[in-house]
Amino acid sequence: MGMSAASSVSEAMKLCIFDLRRGQHEGQELDKILYFFPADLPFPTQLSVIGLSEGLITFTRIFSPEAPCEVIEAEKHSHVFYEAECDIWMVMVVEKSESEAIWRTAALRSVLKEVHSLFVMFHGSIRALLDREPSGGLTRTHLYYFIMDYLSDFLSGKKLHLPNFRDSLKERGMVQMLTIGREAALEVQSLVRVLESCAGCTQSYSLIMFQDLLVSTTLSPDDLVNLFTYTVMRLTPDALSAGASSWSYLRKGSTTSNASGSLLTSSTSVLDRYYSSRDTSPVGVRSYQVVRPLQHEKWSKGKDGFLVTDIWGTGVGSLSPSSPTIWLKQTEERMYLCAFQHRSLTIILFIPVTSVHNGEQGLPVVKQQILENASSKIIKVEEKLSRGWGGENAYHVSGYRYLLVDGDRYISRASPPGKVTTLTKDSLVAMSKLREEVDLEKSRAKCDGSDCEKDQEICIRAKNGAWVISRLTRGKELYMVLEKANETLLYASEAVEKFSDRYCSGVFSL
């Protein structure tokens, strides 16, 4: 998404969350608002945006009762919809700029999906929070701080940058894996068994990362995507050392943390302003204890190698920080998050809260067992992976700029960001348009109930003469840019065949 220099955040993007079950009576309209960005917009403006969104949702349901509205394109704005939970909608309204107004609505919807999935992992479902406290104060407070911390990853100075055409060879909601040899894989399996024994229960799960890549996990696919995302955002060595998310589109920016603080500070009184405007909810925001797991610079590595944070506050009757916890979809229960780091290796053990004797007081025992029983294996695995690691350009293929997506396994692999930036704007714009076409075809197939996994191939000749190609087959997708202007379509097709045969086991070969 492009923004002109004169555009403010409020002009460029609005994001809201509202509940269709609330605020249906005159005088209670504010009750339906659960979150709004920018938060300092007047309430009539917020209600106008939400009222229009609600009207569009209701209108489109007349023609498509079973398939929720996903996007409405107006002359000056794109309206992106996501029904996060039943009757709870997230809507992003993005201004169309005359220059560089090229983005994929599917990429914007991925942002909405990601922030909701991460929120549920830490706080549980929005509906459950509303049921727990019908006034909505608790839910609004959690959503406000969580999403503001999330949006801080997209800030550069005072400008908010969302996924645009320059990110057309990236895919959110996917896991990037490290390719390892048989010998290293056996060592990793041995380490996983030791970690499970250290947990002392049959329902523990583990996640092992090297740099920003997945090595091994015992989590379900849905939980894996969320926890992989959070680990890369806040827990990997790069994230800890940079003080900023390495998952962000603005990698390792020095201004992110300061911008986050100013973003929150400028709207600190918004929730209090909301409560003071309602006679039915006199309790202010400061009455709620807020856990903010997406805060920057809140995780650090202890002397024993375990990662520590005070985000979860302190335990009752204790001066020590409370242990981090998350909700797993797989088991529908709360788990302790126990993270250990050795050089480039990050290991996370997830232990059911109900299985730890004496509550948090039992966690030091688990950590001690890890240090005693797994330290040597951790060191050995890290050394083997380091020797086999080819660096940040390990998955670069000379002459190609590509993105591989395995939708069935939530796995992707792409050309290194540094290599993608060598492409011209024309190539990236063409790829963004091509991916938009693919998104539309998949959406139509889904609506028609037809086969979404049928083989497809699209080739586009960009303005600069580059070939932009997509191939889809059996739930897998390949996107590629070939920037040699004099090449023929036959040459480009043969280049894709060679890539498929050598790096994809022939999956995309015709």
Side-chain angles (χ1 to χ4, degrees):
M1 180 191 72
M3 300 181 191
S4 63
S7 293
S8 68
V9 169
S10 60
E11 291 173 332
M13 191 274 276
K14 298 179 181 68
L15 194 161
C16 58
I17 303 177
F18 55 93
D19 183 0
L20 292 178
R21 301 181 188 178
R22 304 171 67 92
Q24 296 300 312
H25 300 289
E26 185 176 354
Q28 298 180 358
E29 291 85 359
L30 284 178
D31 212 28
K32 70 179 61 177
I33 304 175
L34 302 179
Y35 174 84
F36 200 99
F37 176 87
D40 53 359
L41 284 182
F43 286 134
T45 304
Q46 296 185 26
L47 288 173
S48 176
V49 173
I50 289 176
L52 175 60
S53 300
E54 188 173 359
L56 291 171
I57 291 168
T58 302
F59 177 73
T60 54
R61 275 180 169 168
I62 297 174
F63 304 96
S64 180
E66 302 300 326
C69 177
E70 293 186 356
V71 60
I72 297 291
E73 293 289 353
E75 182 180 357
K76 296 183 178 180
H77 296 85
S78 292
H79 300 252
V80 183
F81 298 81
Y82 175 54
E83 189 174 15
E85 301 174 25
C86 185
D87 289 331
I88 294 178
W89 286 81
M90 303 177 73
V91 180
M92 185 186 295
V93 182
V94 189
E95 181 189 50
K96 293 180 178 179
S97 170
E98 292 182 1
S99 62
E100 301 187 1
I102 300 170
W103 61 81
R104 287 195 309 119
T105 53
L108 298 181
R109 289 191 84 238
S110 293
V111 171
L112 299 180
K113 291 178 181 179
E114 181 175 275
V115 69
H116 175 258
S117 293
L118 290 173
F119 181 87
V120 172
M121 182 175 73
F122 289 108
H123 298 298
S125 71
I126 297 175
R127 181 64 67 196
L129 287 173
L130 290 172
D131 290 342
R132 189 187 314 168
E133 195 214 37
S135 73
L138 177 66
T139 305
R140 291 186 185 93
T141 305
H142 279 310
L143 283 170
Y144 173 76
Y145 286 105
F146 190 88
I147 299 178
M148 297 300 264
D149 286 335
Y150 177 87
L151 290 178
S152 70
D153 281 4
F154 297 92
L155 280 171
S156 178
K158 294 183 179 180
K159 293 184 68 176
L160 192 69
H161 295 264
L162 292 175
N164 60 22
F165 65 89
R166 300 188 186 280
D167 306 294
S168 54
L169 291 180
K170 293 181 181 178
E171 185 74 359
R172 281 183 175 265
M174 293 285 157
V175 175
Q176 289 79 55
M177 296 196 67
L178 178 71
T179 301
I180 59 178
R182 182 176 181 276
E183 184 179 351
L186 292 174
E187 292 290 345
V188 171
Q189 290 177 7
S190 177
L191 173 59
V192 170
R193 287 194 293 269
V194 173
L195 291 173
E196 291 175 348
S197 65
C198 292
C201 63
T202 58
Q203 290 187 321
S204 64
Y205 302 90
S206 63
L207 175 72
I208 300 177
M209 302 270 294
F210 182 83
Q211 302 282 4
D212 289 348
L213 301 172
L214 176 68
V215 176
S216 169
T217 187
T218 55
L219 293 164
S220 68
D222 286 340
D223 288 322
L224 171 59
V225 169
N226 290 335
L227 287 158
F228 174 85
T229 301
Y230 183 67
T231 302
V232 175
M233 286 174 72
R234 297 293 183 265
L235 303 182
T236 61
D238 281 348
L240 292 181
S241 63
S245 168
S246 54
W247 184 250
S248 170
Y249 287 91
L250 310 173
R251 289 182 64 90
K252 304 179 184 178
S254 59
T255 61
T256 304
S257 182
N258 292 334
S260 171
S262 64
L263 183 67
L264 279 166
T265 301
S266 64
S267 303
T268 298
S269 64
V270 169
L271 286 171
D272 285 323
R273 181 165 61 91
Y274 173 85
Y275 293 125
S276 65
S277 70
R278 302 176 68 250
D279 296 332
T280 58
S281 182
V283 181
V285 60
R286 303 198 196 310
S287 300
Y288 300 104
Q289 181 178 357
V290 179
V291 174
R292 294 172 56 190
L294 295 188
Q295 286 185 94
H296 288 279
E297 301 177 0
K298 284 293 185 176
W299 284 90
S300 60
K301 183 178 177 181
K303 293 182 179 180
D304 59 359
F306 285 96
L307 302 186
V308 294
T309 182
D310 61 357
I311 289 174
W312 276 258
T314 57
V316 178
S318 172
L319 297 177
S320 59
S322 294
S323 299
T325 58
I326 53 97
W327 284 97
L328 283 189
K329 287 185 179 181
Q330 184 172 355
T331 61
E332 296 185 345
E333 62 179 324
R334 187 163 286 279
M335 314 285 282
Y336 285 119
L337 187 156
C338 182
F340 180 86
Q341 203 167 87
H342 175 69
R343 295 181 180 174
S344 298
L345 198 67
T346 303
I347 299 170
I348 306 180
L349 193 60
F350 305 96
I351 309 169
V353 170
T354 55
S355 71
V356 179
H357 299 294
N358 301 322
E360 291 187 48
Q361 297 177 6
L363 285 181
V365 176
V366 175
K367 293 181 179 180
Q368 186 59 37
Q369 289 180 344
I370 292 175
L371 292 174
E372 293 177 355
N373 301 326
S375 291
S376 60
K377 289 187 177 292
I378 291 172
I379 294 172
K380 190 173 183 179
V381 167
E382 203 281 336
E383 289 177 348
K384 283 186 175 295
L385 297 180
S386 295
R387 285 199 298 267
W389 171 233
E392 62 180 14
N393 291 328
Y395 299 124
H396 169 57
V397 180
S398 181
Y400 294 88
R401 302 295 183 269
Y402 68 92
L403 168 66
L404 280 166
V405 177
D406 186 338
D408 294 332
R409 298 193 296 161
Y410 300 100
I411 294 173
S412 71
R413 175 165 292 175
S415 293
K419 299 296 183 180
V420 174
T421 57
T422 64
L423 292 174
T424 65
K425 177 182 175 180
D426 286 337
S427 295
L428 293 169
V429 168
M431 174 54 73
S432 182
K433 291 180 176 178
L434 182 147
R435 294 202 64 190
E436 189 78 50
E437 286 296 318
V438 172
D439 293 336
L440 287 172
E441 285 298 320
K442 291 193 293 186
S443 180
R444 291 191 191 104
K446 182 178 178 181
C447 292
D448 296 340
S450 56
D451 185 7
C452 297
E453 297 186 357
K454 65 179 182 180
D455 293 353
Q456 295 183 37
E457 181 179 27
I458 303 176
C459 299
I460 296 177
R461 187 74 157 175
K463 290 180 180 179
N464 61 340
W467 284 105
V468 182
I469 302 167
S470 73
R471 285 189 182 180
L472 284 69
T473 180
R474 299 188 294 277
K476 296 178 175 59
E477 304 171 28
L478 171 64
Y479 301 94
M480 185 173 292
V481 177
L482 299 171
E483 267 195 348
K484 292 185 179 180
N486 295 326
E487 293 171 356
T488 64
L489 176 58
L490 177 60
Y491 184 98
S493 180
E494 289 176 348
V496 176
E497 293 285 324
K498 291 178 181 178
F499 182 92
S500 174
D501 292 339
R502 184 169 182 181
Y503 300 101
C504 310
S505 302
V507 170
F508 298 100
S509 299
L510 297 178

